[in-house]
Protein backbone atom coordinates (compact mmCIF):
# COMPACT_ATOMS: atom_id res chain seq x y z
CA UNK A 1 0.00 0.00 0.00
CA UNK A 2 1.09 3.53 -0.70
CA UNK A 3 1.86 5.79 2.24
CA UNK A 4 2.10 9.58 2.01
CA UNK A 5 4.90 11.42 3.76
CA UNK A 6 4.95 15.21 3.88
CA UNK A 7 8.38 16.66 3.28
CA UNK A 8 9.25 20.27 4.06
CA UNK A 9 10.05 21.97 0.73
CA UNK A 10 13.40 23.13 2.03
CA UNK A 11 17.09 22.35 1.49
CA UNK A 12 16.86 19.56 4.12
CA UNK A 13 15.22 17.37 1.49
CA UNK A 14 17.77 16.23 -1.07
CA UNK A 15 17.53 16.98 -4.77
CA UNK A 16 16.83 20.13 -6.75
CA UNK A 17 13.30 21.58 -6.85
CA UNK A 18 11.15 20.92 -9.87
CA UNK A 19 11.31 23.69 -12.46
CA UNK A 20 8.56 26.21 -11.95
CA UNK A 21 7.35 24.52 -8.78
CA UNK A 22 8.31 27.33 -6.40
CA UNK A 23 6.88 30.79 -5.96
CA UNK A 24 9.04 33.82 -5.22
CA UNK A 25 8.09 33.56 -1.55
CA UNK A 26 9.12 29.90 -1.51
CA UNK A 27 12.46 30.68 -3.15
CA UNK A 28 13.06 33.33 -0.51
CA UNK A 29 12.20 30.82 2.19
CA UNK A 30 14.65 28.32 0.70
CA UNK A 31 17.38 30.95 0.56
CA UNK A 32 16.76 31.84 4.17
CA UNK A 33 16.97 28.21 5.23
CA UNK A 34 20.37 27.81 3.56
CA UNK A 35 21.69 30.28 6.10
CA UNK A 36 20.17 28.55 9.10
CA UNK A 37 22.36 26.36 11.30
CA UNK A 38 20.92 23.36 13.12
CA UNK A 39 21.51 24.88 16.53
CA UNK A 40 19.52 28.03 15.81
CA UNK A 41 16.34 26.60 17.24
CA UNK A 42 14.00 29.59 17.12
CA UNK A 43 15.02 30.60 13.60
CA UNK A 44 14.49 27.07 12.37
CA UNK A 45 11.09 26.93 13.98
CA UNK A 46 10.01 30.14 12.23
CA UNK A 47 11.36 28.96 8.89
CA UNK A 48 9.51 25.67 9.08
CA UNK A 49 6.28 27.36 10.07
CA UNK A 50 6.47 29.50 6.93
CA UNK A 51 7.76 26.85 4.51
CA UNK A 52 5.56 24.93 2.09
CA UNK A 53 5.36 21.15 1.86
CA UNK A 54 5.44 18.66 -0.96
CA UNK A 55 4.03 15.16 -0.86
CA UNK A 56 6.25 12.20 -1.60
CA UNK A 57 4.69 8.78 -2.05
CA UNK A 58 6.51 5.50 -1.86
CA UNK A 59 5.52 1.88 -1.64
CA UNK A 60 6.59 0.63 1.79
CA UNK A 61 6.75 -2.97 0.57
CA UNK A 62 8.92 -2.40 -2.50
CA UNK A 63 10.88 0.83 -2.16
CA UNK A 64 12.14 0.32 1.37
CA UNK A 65 15.34 -1.78 1.45
CA UNK A 66 14.78 -5.26 2.78
CA UNK A 67 16.77 -6.58 5.72
CA UNK A 68 19.32 -9.08 4.46
CA UNK A 69 19.32 -11.07 7.66
CA UNK A 70 15.88 -12.64 7.23
CA UNK A 71 16.11 -16.22 8.45
CA UNK A 72 13.69 -19.02 9.09
CA UNK A 73 12.92 -18.83 12.78
CA UNK A 74 11.95 -22.46 12.87
CA UNK A 75 9.47 -23.83 15.35
CA UNK A 76 8.80 -21.39 18.20
CA UNK A 77 8.16 -22.64 21.70
CA UNK A 78 4.86 -21.82 23.36
CA UNK A 79 4.92 -18.20 24.59
CA UNK A 80 8.13 -17.34 22.72
CA UNK A 81 8.09 -14.27 20.49
CA UNK A 82 9.56 -14.46 17.00
CA UNK A 83 13.15 -13.19 17.01
CA UNK A 84 13.32 -13.01 20.81
CA UNK A 85 15.95 -15.00 22.69
CA UNK A 86 15.66 -15.41 26.43
CA UNK A 87 18.66 -13.58 27.88
CA UNK A 88 19.06 -16.33 30.48
CA UNK A 89 20.02 -18.70 27.66
CA UNK A 90 22.92 -16.39 26.83
CA UNK A 91 24.01 -14.96 30.17
CA UNK A 92 22.68 -17.48 32.68
CA UNK A 93 20.41 -16.63 35.58
CA UNK A 94 22.80 -14.02 37.06
CA UNK A 95 20.82 -13.49 40.23
CA UNK A 96 23.89 -12.49 42.24
CA UNK A 97 22.73 -9.17 43.68
CA UNK A 98 18.95 -9.57 43.61
CA UNK A 99 18.53 -9.67 47.38
CA UNK A 100 14.96 -10.59 48.36
CA UNK A 101 13.42 -8.00 50.67
CA UNK A 102 16.16 -5.40 50.12
CA UNK A 103 14.84 -2.20 48.56
CA UNK A 104 16.90 0.98 48.60
CA UNK A 105 14.37 2.88 46.47
CA UNK A 106 12.65 5.95 47.88
CA UNK A 107 9.65 5.36 45.57
CA UNK A 108 8.55 3.23 42.63
CA UNK A 109 5.88 3.06 39.94
CA UNK A 110 4.53 0.15 37.91
CA UNK A 111 3.69 -0.62 34.30
CA UNK A 112 1.76 -3.60 32.97
CA UNK A 113 4.92 -4.98 31.31
CA UNK A 114 8.67 -4.25 31.31
CA UNK A 115 9.70 -0.60 31.71
CA UNK A 116 11.95 -0.11 28.69
CA UNK A 117 12.96 3.53 29.06
CA UNK A 118 13.04 6.29 31.67
CA UNK A 119 13.93 10.00 31.63
CA UNK A 120 14.11 12.90 34.07
CA UNK A 121 13.26 16.36 32.76
CA UNK A 122 16.35 18.59 32.45
CA UNK A 123 14.12 21.54 33.37
CA UNK A 124 12.70 19.98 36.55
CA UNK A 125 14.05 16.76 38.01
CA UNK A 126 10.75 16.22 39.81
CA UNK A 127 9.23 15.29 36.44
CA UNK A 128 9.71 11.66 35.37
CA UNK A 129 8.76 10.01 32.08
CA UNK A 130 8.52 6.22 31.66
CA UNK A 131 7.82 4.04 28.64
CA UNK A 132 6.86 0.39 28.70
CA UNK A 133 6.32 -2.79 26.80
CA UNK A 134 2.63 -2.30 27.61
CA UNK A 135 2.45 0.32 24.78
CA UNK A 136 2.11 3.09 27.36
CA UNK A 137 4.13 6.13 28.42
CA UNK A 138 3.41 8.00 31.66
CA UNK A 139 4.45 11.40 33.02
CA UNK A 140 4.92 11.32 36.80
CA UNK A 141 5.53 13.96 39.45
CA UNK A 142 7.98 13.06 42.24
CA UNK A 143 6.62 14.46 45.49
CA UNK A 144 7.13 14.23 49.23
CA UNK A 145 4.75 11.91 51.05
CA UNK A 146 3.31 12.33 54.53
CA UNK A 147 5.93 10.08 56.09
CA UNK A 148 8.84 12.18 54.87
CA UNK A 149 9.64 9.84 51.98
CA UNK A 150 8.93 10.17 48.28
CA UNK A 151 6.02 9.17 46.09
CA UNK A 152 5.38 9.29 42.36
CA UNK A 153 2.06 10.81 41.37
CA UNK A 154 0.70 10.06 37.91
CA UNK A 155 0.17 13.31 36.02
CA UNK A 156 -0.56 12.19 32.47
CA UNK A 157 -1.00 8.86 30.69
CA UNK A 158 0.39 9.23 27.19
CA UNK A 159 -1.74 6.81 25.18
CA UNK A 160 -1.99 6.09 21.48
CA UNK A 161 0.97 3.87 20.66
CA UNK A 162 -0.01 0.42 19.43
CA UNK A 163 3.24 -1.36 20.29
CA UNK A 164 6.01 -1.17 22.89
CA UNK A 165 7.33 2.29 23.77
CA UNK A 166 11.00 1.67 23.03
CA UNK A 167 12.41 5.00 24.19
CA UNK A 168 11.33 8.21 25.93
CA UNK A 169 13.28 11.47 25.98
CA UNK A 170 12.92 15.15 26.89
CA UNK A 171 14.31 17.87 24.65
CA UNK A 172 17.39 19.43 26.16
CA UNK A 173 15.45 22.45 27.41
CA UNK A 174 12.64 20.26 28.77
CA UNK A 175 10.04 21.96 26.58
CA UNK A 176 8.98 18.81 24.75
CA UNK A 177 8.74 15.10 25.56
CA UNK A 178 9.09 12.43 22.90
CA UNK A 179 8.06 8.77 22.85
CA UNK A 180 9.27 6.28 20.24
CA UNK A 181 7.56 3.00 19.56
CA UNK A 182 7.82 -0.28 17.75
CA UNK A 183 4.63 0.82 15.98
CA UNK A 184 6.87 2.92 13.72
CA UNK A 185 5.92 6.34 15.09
CA UNK A 186 7.40 9.04 17.32
CA UNK A 187 4.98 11.19 19.31
CA UNK A 188 5.69 14.69 20.64
CA UNK A 189 3.98 15.81 23.87
CA UNK A 190 3.77 18.87 26.09
CA UNK A 191 5.08 17.76 29.52
CA UNK A 192 2.99 20.27 31.47
CA UNK A 193 -0.36 19.17 30.06
CA UNK A 194 0.28 15.75 28.54
CA UNK A 195 -1.13 17.08 25.27
CA UNK A 196 -0.15 15.24 22.10
CA UNK A 197 0.99 17.90 19.64
CA UNK A 198 2.38 15.78 16.79
CA UNK A 199 2.58 12.17 15.65
CA UNK A 200 5.73 11.83 13.54
CA UNK A 201 5.22 9.21 10.86
CA UNK A 202 7.32 7.72 8.10
CA UNK A 203 9.19 4.61 9.28
CA UNK A 204 7.69 1.36 7.98
CA UNK A 205 9.14 -0.72 10.82
CA UNK A 206 10.04 -0.36 14.49
CA UNK A 207 11.65 2.84 15.77
CA UNK A 208 14.66 1.60 17.73
CA UNK A 209 15.87 4.88 19.27
CA UNK A 210 15.45 8.65 19.28
CA UNK A 211 17.83 11.50 20.03
CA UNK A 212 17.15 15.23 20.39
CA UNK A 213 19.48 17.79 18.86
CA UNK A 214 21.80 19.07 21.62
CA UNK A 215 20.79 22.71 21.09
CA UNK A 216 17.44 22.68 19.33
CA UNK A 217 14.19 20.86 18.71
CA UNK A 218 15.15 18.63 15.80
CA UNK A 219 14.70 14.96 16.69
CA UNK A 220 16.51 12.04 15.07
CA UNK A 221 15.27 8.43 15.01
CA UNK A 222 16.70 5.13 13.85
CA UNK A 223 14.43 2.42 12.48
CA UNK A 224 14.47 -1.25 11.61
CA UNK A 225 13.44 -0.14 8.09
CA UNK A 226 17.17 0.55 7.40
CA UNK A 227 16.75 4.33 7.54
CA UNK A 228 17.18 7.21 9.97
CA UNK A 229 14.56 9.97 10.10
CA UNK A 230 14.74 13.59 11.24
CA UNK A 231 11.77 15.79 12.10
CA UNK A 232 11.28 19.33 13.38
CA UNK A 233 9.31 18.70 16.56
CA UNK A 234 7.55 22.09 16.97
CA UNK A 235 5.78 21.68 13.61
CA UNK A 236 5.91 17.93 13.15
CA UNK A 237 7.43 18.31 9.69
CA UNK A 238 9.79 15.71 8.27
CA UNK A 239 13.15 17.35 7.64
CA UNK A 240 15.17 14.52 6.14
CA UNK A 241 15.37 10.77 5.46
CA UNK A 242 18.80 9.13 5.63
CA UNK A 243 18.83 6.01 3.45
CA UNK A 244 22.05 4.09 2.92
CA UNK A 245 22.26 1.24 5.41
CA UNK A 246 21.37 -2.32 4.39
CA UNK A 247 19.95 -3.36 7.76
CA UNK A 248 18.42 -1.85 10.90
CA UNK A 249 19.79 1.50 12.09
CA UNK A 250 20.65 0.50 15.64
CA UNK A 251 22.33 3.63 17.05
CA UNK A 252 23.26 7.19 16.22
CA UNK A 253 24.84 10.41 17.40
CA UNK A 254 25.00 14.13 16.61
CA UNK A 255 28.58 14.86 15.53
CA UNK A 256 30.48 18.09 16.08
CA UNK A 257 27.92 19.47 18.51
CA UNK A 258 25.01 18.86 16.14
CA UNK A 259 26.46 19.84 12.76
CA UNK A 260 26.67 16.28 11.46
CA UNK A 261 24.70 13.08 11.95
CA UNK A 262 26.36 9.68 12.42
CA UNK A 263 24.53 6.35 12.35
CA UNK A 264 25.51 2.75 13.08
CA UNK A 265 23.78 -0.35 11.82
CA UNK A 266 23.34 -4.08 12.03
CA UNK A 267 25.10 -4.09 8.64
CA UNK A 268 28.33 -3.32 10.60
CA UNK A 269 28.85 0.05 8.92
CA UNK A 270 28.95 3.67 10.07
CA UNK A 271 27.65 6.52 7.89
CA UNK A 272 28.39 10.22 8.43
CA UNK A 273 25.58 12.35 7.02
CA UNK A 274 25.13 15.92 5.87
CA UNK A 275 21.87 16.92 7.62
CA UNK A 276 20.92 19.38 4.89
CA UNK A 277 21.25 17.19 1.83
CA UNK A 278 20.73 13.82 3.48
CA UNK A 279 23.83 12.59 1.65
CA UNK A 280 26.64 10.43 3.08
CA UNK A 281 29.91 12.26 3.67
CA UNK A 282 31.63 9.07 4.79
CA UNK A 283 30.46 5.46 4.58
CA UNK A 284 32.77 3.30 6.68
CA UNK A 285 32.01 -0.34 5.92
CA UNK A 286 32.85 -3.39 8.03
CA UNK A 287 33.85 -1.35 11.05
CA UNK A 288 33.03 -4.38 13.17
CA UNK A 289 32.53 -8.11 12.66
CA UNK A 290 29.00 -7.99 14.04
CA UNK A 291 26.09 -5.59 14.71
CA UNK A 292 26.97 -2.09 15.99
CA UNK A 293 24.80 -1.58 19.09
CA UNK A 294 26.12 1.60 20.74
CA UNK A 295 27.61 4.93 19.72
CA UNK A 296 28.68 8.25 21.23
CA UNK A 297 30.16 11.44 19.86
CA UNK A 298 33.14 13.38 21.18
CA UNK A 299 31.84 16.71 22.54
CA UNK A 300 34.36 18.76 20.54
CA UNK A 301 36.55 16.70 18.21
CA UNK A 302 35.34 15.04 14.97
CA UNK A 303 35.28 11.60 16.57
CA UNK A 304 32.69 8.95 17.36
CA UNK A 305 33.04 5.73 19.32
CA UNK A 306 31.15 2.58 18.40
CA UNK A 307 30.45 -0.56 20.42
CA UNK A 308 29.56 -3.89 18.87
CA UNK A 309 28.23 -7.34 19.58
CA UNK A 310 31.68 -8.57 18.50
CA UNK A 311 32.98 -7.40 21.95
CA UNK A 312 35.05 -4.52 20.56
CA UNK A 313 34.85 -0.72 20.41
CA UNK A 314 36.29 1.54 17.72
CA UNK A 315 37.16 5.26 17.55
CA UNK A 316 36.39 6.74 14.12
CA UNK A 317 37.42 10.10 12.68
CA UNK A 318 34.22 11.27 11.03
CA UNK A 319 35.91 13.69 8.61
CA UNK A 320 38.26 11.06 7.13
CA UNK A 321 36.33 7.86 7.84
CA UNK A 322 39.44 6.30 9.38
CA UNK A 323 39.47 4.08 12.47
CA UNK A 324 41.97 5.82 14.75
CA UNK A 325 41.82 3.48 17.76
CA UNK A 326 40.77 -0.09 18.50
CA UNK A 327 39.47 -0.48 22.04
CA UNK A 328 39.73 -4.16 22.89
CA UNK A 329 39.55 -6.12 26.12
CA UNK A 330 35.86 -6.98 26.44
CA UNK A 331 34.66 -10.54 25.95
CA UNK A 332 31.00 -9.85 25.17
CA UNK A 333 28.77 -7.28 23.48
CA UNK A 334 29.71 -3.63 24.17
CA UNK A 335 26.27 -2.30 25.07
CA UNK A 336 27.18 1.28 26.03
CA UNK A 337 29.90 3.84 25.29
CA UNK A 338 30.22 7.43 26.45
CA UNK A 339 32.59 10.34 27.07
CA UNK A 340 32.64 11.87 30.53
CA UNK A 341 31.69 15.41 31.43
CA UNK A 342 35.10 16.91 32.07
CA UNK A 343 34.81 18.09 35.66
CA UNK A 344 36.97 19.78 38.26
CA UNK A 345 39.67 17.13 37.86
CA UNK A 346 40.28 18.32 34.30
CA UNK A 347 40.61 14.69 33.20
CA UNK A 348 38.60 13.62 30.17
CA UNK A 349 37.51 9.98 30.14
CA UNK A 350 35.79 7.47 27.88
CA UNK A 351 33.92 4.44 29.23
CA UNK A 352 32.90 1.25 27.44
CA UNK A 353 30.53 -1.16 29.19
CA UNK A 354 29.80 -4.72 28.23
CA UNK A 355 27.68 -7.76 28.87
CA UNK A 356 30.88 -9.31 30.25
CA UNK A 357 30.26 -7.19 33.36
CA UNK A 358 33.29 -4.93 32.86
CA UNK A 359 33.53 -1.17 32.52
CA UNK A 360 36.72 -0.15 30.77
CA UNK A 361 37.92 3.39 31.44
CA UNK A 362 40.04 4.97 28.70
CA UNK A 363 41.92 8.25 28.46
CA UNK A 364 39.62 10.52 26.45
CA UNK A 365 42.51 12.02 24.48
CA UNK A 366 45.04 9.21 23.95
CA UNK A 367 42.57 6.30 24.26
CA UNK A 368 44.99 4.41 26.47
CA UNK A 369 43.33 2.04 28.93
CA UNK A 370 43.37 3.54 32.44
CA UNK A 371 41.48 0.88 34.38
CA UNK A 372 39.00 -1.96 34.21
CA UNK A 373 36.14 -2.01 36.73
CA UNK A 374 34.92 -5.54 37.42
CA UNK A 375 32.35 -5.22 40.21
CA UNK A 376 29.62 -6.65 37.95
CA UNK A 377 31.79 -9.50 36.62
CA UNK A 378 30.50 -13.04 37.31
CA UNK A 379 27.22 -11.54 38.46
CA UNK A 380 25.78 -9.47 35.61
CA UNK A 381 26.10 -7.88 32.22
CA UNK A 382 25.98 -4.08 32.03
CA UNK A 383 23.07 -2.77 29.98
CA UNK A 384 23.48 1.01 30.22
CA UNK A 385 25.41 3.76 32.02
CA UNK A 386 25.28 7.52 32.45
CA UNK A 387 28.06 9.90 33.43
CA UNK A 388 27.17 12.33 36.21
CA UNK A 389 27.00 16.04 35.33
CA UNK A 390 29.86 18.48 35.94
CA UNK A 391 31.62 20.03 37.63
CA UNK A 392 32.43 18.12 40.83
CA UNK A 393 31.32 14.63 39.82
CA UNK A 394 32.17 14.62 36.12
CA UNK A 395 34.33 11.50 36.57
CA UNK A 396 31.57 9.49 38.28
CA UNK A 397 29.17 7.22 36.41
CA UNK A 398 26.09 5.16 37.17
CA UNK A 399 25.42 1.70 35.69
CA UNK A 400 22.46 -0.66 35.44
CA UNK A 401 22.77 -4.38 34.89
CA UNK A 402 21.16 -7.77 34.43
CA UNK A 403 21.60 -8.57 38.15
CA UNK A 404 18.91 -6.02 39.05
CA UNK A 405 21.33 -3.51 40.58
CA UNK A 406 22.22 0.11 39.90
CA UNK A 407 25.76 1.09 40.89
CA UNK A 408 27.63 4.37 41.24
CA UNK A 409 31.36 4.38 40.43
CA UNK A 410 34.22 6.82 40.71
CA UNK A 411 35.97 6.12 37.40
CA UNK A 412 39.23 7.76 38.52
CA UNK A 413 39.63 5.45 41.51
CA UNK A 414 37.70 2.50 39.98
CA UNK A 415 35.77 2.34 43.25
CA UNK A 416 32.11 1.39 43.59
CA UNK A 417 30.65 4.14 45.75
CA UNK A 418 27.11 2.79 46.08
CA UNK A 419 25.05 -0.26 45.12
CA UNK A 420 21.32 0.39 44.82
CA UNK A 421 19.06 -2.66 45.15
CA UNK A 422 15.33 -3.18 44.85
CA UNK A 423 14.72 -4.50 41.34
CA UNK A 424 13.98 -8.20 40.92
CA UNK A 425 14.97 -8.48 37.25
CA UNK A 426 17.25 -6.91 34.63
CA UNK A 427 17.51 -3.12 34.81
CA UNK A 428 17.08 -1.91 31.23
CA UNK A 429 17.54 1.85 31.47
CA UNK A 430 18.42 4.67 33.86
CA UNK A 431 18.73 8.42 34.12
CA UNK A 432 20.50 10.64 36.64
CA UNK A 433 20.27 14.19 37.99
CA UNK A 434 22.13 16.19 40.62
CA UNK A 435 20.51 18.40 43.25
CA UNK A 436 21.29 19.75 46.71
CA UNK A 437 20.26 19.05 50.30
CA UNK A 438 21.16 21.83 52.74
CA UNK A 439 23.84 22.97 50.31
CA UNK A 440 25.29 19.48 49.85
CA UNK A 441 25.02 17.55 46.57
CA UNK A 442 22.57 14.70 46.17
CA UNK A 443 22.26 12.27 43.28
CA UNK A 444 18.84 11.17 42.04
CA UNK A 445 18.67 7.99 39.95
CA UNK A 446 15.62 6.56 38.17
CA UNK A 447 15.72 3.07 36.67
CA UNK A 448 13.39 0.93 34.56
CA UNK A 449 13.35 -2.84 34.71
CA UNK A 450 12.00 -6.08 33.33
CA UNK A 451 10.29 -6.44 36.73
CA UNK A 452 7.69 -3.92 35.39
CA UNK A 453 8.74 -1.12 37.76
CA UNK A 454 10.60 2.18 37.66
CA UNK A 455 12.38 2.93 40.92
CA UNK A 456 13.62 6.25 42.31
CA UNK A 457 16.85 6.25 44.34
CA UNK A 458 18.74 9.06 46.06
CA UNK A 459 22.38 9.05 47.15
CA UNK A 460 24.07 11.63 49.41
CA UNK A 461 27.32 12.88 47.86
CA UNK A 462 28.14 15.65 50.32
CA UNK A 463 31.10 13.85 51.85
CA UNK A 464 32.83 13.86 48.47
CA UNK A 465 32.23 17.49 47.52
CA UNK A 466 35.07 20.04 47.99
CA UNK A 467 33.10 21.80 50.75
CA UNK A 468 32.21 18.56 52.54
CA UNK A 469 34.04 19.51 55.73
CA UNK A 470 31.79 22.53 56.24
CA UNK A 471 28.52 20.82 55.32
CA UNK A 472 25.92 19.35 57.64
CA UNK A 473 26.23 15.92 56.04
CA UNK A 474 27.76 13.28 58.37
CA UNK A 475 31.40 12.44 57.87
CA UNK A 476 32.08 9.92 55.11
CA UNK A 477 32.54 6.28 55.88
CA UNK A 478 36.03 4.81 55.42
CA UNK A 479 37.25 4.85 51.85
CA UNK A 480 36.46 1.19 51.28
CA UNK A 481 32.87 1.58 52.40
CA UNK A 482 30.02 2.55 50.13
CA UNK A 483 27.95 5.70 50.15
CA UNK A 484 24.64 4.90 51.84
CA UNK A 485 21.66 4.68 49.53
CA UNK A 486 19.38 6.19 52.19
CA UNK A 487 20.39 8.40 55.09
CA UNK A 488 18.51 10.70 57.43
CA UNK A 489 19.68 13.84 55.64
CA UNK A 490 18.17 12.88 52.27
CA UNK A 491 15.35 15.40 52.35
CA UNK A 492 12.71 14.84 49.66
CA UNK A 493 12.36 18.60 49.44
CA UNK A 494 15.75 18.60 47.73
CA UNK A 495 13.94 17.54 44.59
CA UNK A 496 12.63 21.09 44.26
Amino acid sequence: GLRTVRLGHLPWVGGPPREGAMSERERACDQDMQEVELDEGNDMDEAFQQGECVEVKFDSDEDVPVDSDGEDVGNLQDGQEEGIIDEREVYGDMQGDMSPGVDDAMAHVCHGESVLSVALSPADRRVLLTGGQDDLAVLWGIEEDQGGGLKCVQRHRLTGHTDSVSQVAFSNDGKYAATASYDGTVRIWMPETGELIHTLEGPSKEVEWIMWHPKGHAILAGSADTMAWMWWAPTGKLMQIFAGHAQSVTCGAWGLGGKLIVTGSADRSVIVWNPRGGTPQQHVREVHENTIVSMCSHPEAPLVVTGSEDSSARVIHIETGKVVANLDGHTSSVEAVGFSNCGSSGIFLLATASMDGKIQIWDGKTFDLRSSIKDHVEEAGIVRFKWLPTPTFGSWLCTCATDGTVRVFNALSSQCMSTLRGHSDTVLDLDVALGEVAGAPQLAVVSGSDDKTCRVFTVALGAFAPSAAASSVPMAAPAAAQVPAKTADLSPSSLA
Side-chain angles (χ1 to χ4, degrees):
L2 289 172
R3 295 183 296 119
T4 299
V5 178
R6 295 184 63 80
L7 304 179
H9 194 73
L10 296 167
W12 304 101
V13 180
R18 292 175 288 113
E19 183 177 358
M22 298 176 65
S23 66
E24 290 300 322
R25 186 180 67 83
E26 289 171 324
R27 290 192 184 94
C29 181
D30 268 3
Q31 181 64 35
D32 290 343
M33 283 303 297
Q34 291 174 7
E35 301 173 0
V36 174
E37 293 296 331
L38 266 176
D39 58 356
E40 295 175 343
N42 292 333
D43 291 342
M44 282 181 64
D45 191 15
E46 183 69 19
F48 271 93
Q49 288 177 15
Q50 295 177 1
E52 298 295 328
C53 289
V54 297
E55 290 190 354
V56 176
K57 294 184 177 182
F58 59 91
D59 191 318
S60 60
D61 295 328
E62 297 179 2
D63 292 347
V64 178
V66 178
D67 287 352
S68 61
D69 59 349
E71 299 178 355
D72 185 359
V73 297
N75 296 323
L76 298 177
Q77 300 296 320
D78 289 343
Q80 182 181 0
E81 294 184 53
E82 181 177 331
I84 302 298
I85 300 175
D86 189 335
E87 66 184 20
R88 291 174 178 81
E89 294 181 14
V90 181
Y91 304 111
D93 287 336
M94 291 186 175
Q95 300 293 321
D97 258 320
M98 295 183 191
S99 306
V102 177
D103 191 355
D104 298 319
M106 299 290 286
H108 75 275
V109 297
C110 297
H111 274 253
E113 297 292 340
S114 299
V115 179
L116 303 180
S117 184
V118 298
L120 289 168
S121 171
D124 184 351
R125 70 175 189 152
R126 296 171 297 181
V127 178
L128 165 65
L129 178 58
T130 59
Q133 201 168 344
D134 55 3
D135 310 348
L136 183 67
V138 183
L139 278 161
W140 310 86
I142 304 175
E143 302 176 0
E144 183 175 356
D145 64 21
Q146 293 180 350
L150 296 179
K151 64 179 179 180
C152 294
V153 177
Q154 180 179 299
R155 291 185 177 176
H156 308 289
R157 290 168 64 90
L158 310 183
T159 60
H161 284 298
T162 58
D163 206 336
S164 299
V165 178
S166 54
Q167 189 170 357
V168 299
F170 288 97
S171 60
N172 286 282
D173 59 3
K175 184 176 181 179
Y176 299 102
T179 57
S181 172
Y182 288 161
D183 66 11
T185 69
V186 177
R187 292 178 174 241
I188 306 298
W189 314 80
M190 297 302 295
E192 297 85 357
T193 64
E195 176 190 1
L196 174 66
I197 59 173
H198 297 294
T199 297
L200 310 180
E201 298 179 327
S204 61
K205 292 187 178 180
E206 299 93 333
V207 177
E208 304 278 1
W209 54 270
I210 50 176
M211 182 176 293
W212 288 95
H213 189 274
K215 298 178 183 177
H217 294 140
I219 188 167
L220 182 68
S223 172
D225 68 2
T226 75
M227 293 180 282
W229 302 72
M230 183 172 65
W231 298 270
W232 185 242
T235 62
K237 291 183 179 179
L238 181 63
M239 298 168 70
Q240 193 56 267
I241 304 172
F242 304 95
H245 286 292
Q247 296 184 45
S248 176
V249 181
T250 51
C251 54
W254 294 95
L256 291 177
K259 296 179 180 178
L260 295 174
I261 289 171
V262 190
T263 55
S265 171
D267 67 8
R268 303 177 294 159
S269 76
V270 169
I271 301 181
V272 182
W273 304 92
N274 177 345
R276 294 183 177 278
T279 54
Q281 294 192 179
Q282 300 289 340
H283 192 158
V284 191
R285 294 175 171 83
E286 298 184 354
V287 176
H288 290 274
E289 296 178 0
N290 210 329
T291 298
I292 300 172
V293 295
S294 56
M295 177 182 290
C296 70
S297 177
H298 193 286
E300 297 176 356
L303 300 172
V304 296
V305 180
T306 59
S308 170
E309 289 181 353
D310 67 6
S311 76
S312 71
R314 300 281 184 265
V315 183
I316 301 171
H317 196 291
I318 59 178
E319 292 180 343
T320 65
K322 302 295 184 182
V323 175
V324 297
N326 297 315
L327 309 180
D328 299 319
H330 288 294
T331 58
S332 190
S333 178
V334 180
E335 294 291 307
V337 295
F339 285 100
S340 69
N341 301 299
C342 190
S344 57
S345 66
I347 299 175
F348 191 49
L349 303 173
L350 168 69
T352 58
S354 168
M355 275 294 176
D356 62 10
K358 287 192 297 186
I359 311 164
Q360 304 228 102
I361 306 298
W362 311 82
D363 187 290
K365 297 179 180 179
T366 65
F367 300 107
D368 294 328
L369 181 63
R370 292 178 57 97
S371 64
S372 185
I373 301 173
K374 302 179 180 180
D375 292 63
H376 286 288
V377 173
E378 297 182 358
E379 294 182 350
I382 300 172
V383 180
R384 197 87 70 239
F385 72 82
K386 286 280 185 75
W387 287 99
L388 271 61
T390 54
T392 308
F393 298 97
S395 61
W396 288 39
L397 55 82
C398 188
T399 64
C400 62
T402 60
D403 63 357
T405 65
V406 174
R407 301 186 188 221
V408 182
F409 293 94
N410 182 338
L412 289 178
S413 66
S414 301
Q415 186 177 353
C416 180
M417 310 306 294
S418 186
T419 300
L420 307 174
R421 298 176 175 86
H423 286 294
S424 59
D425 209 333
T426 296
V427 185
L428 300 170
D429 196 20
L430 82 165
D431 200 5
V432 299
L434 281 178
E436 288 190 351
V437 177
Q442 181 196 68
L443 172 66
V445 183
V446 294
S447 54
S449 169
D450 265 334
D451 67 9
K452 306 179 184 179
T453 72
C454 169
R455 307 189 98 76
V456 180
F457 302 94
T458 56
V459 180
L461 301 178
F464 300 92
S467 59
S471 74
S472 60
V473 178
M475 292 298 292
Q482 293 189 329
V483 178
K486 292 180 182 177
T487 60
D489 63 348
L490 295 180
S491 169
S493 62
S494 69
L495 289 166

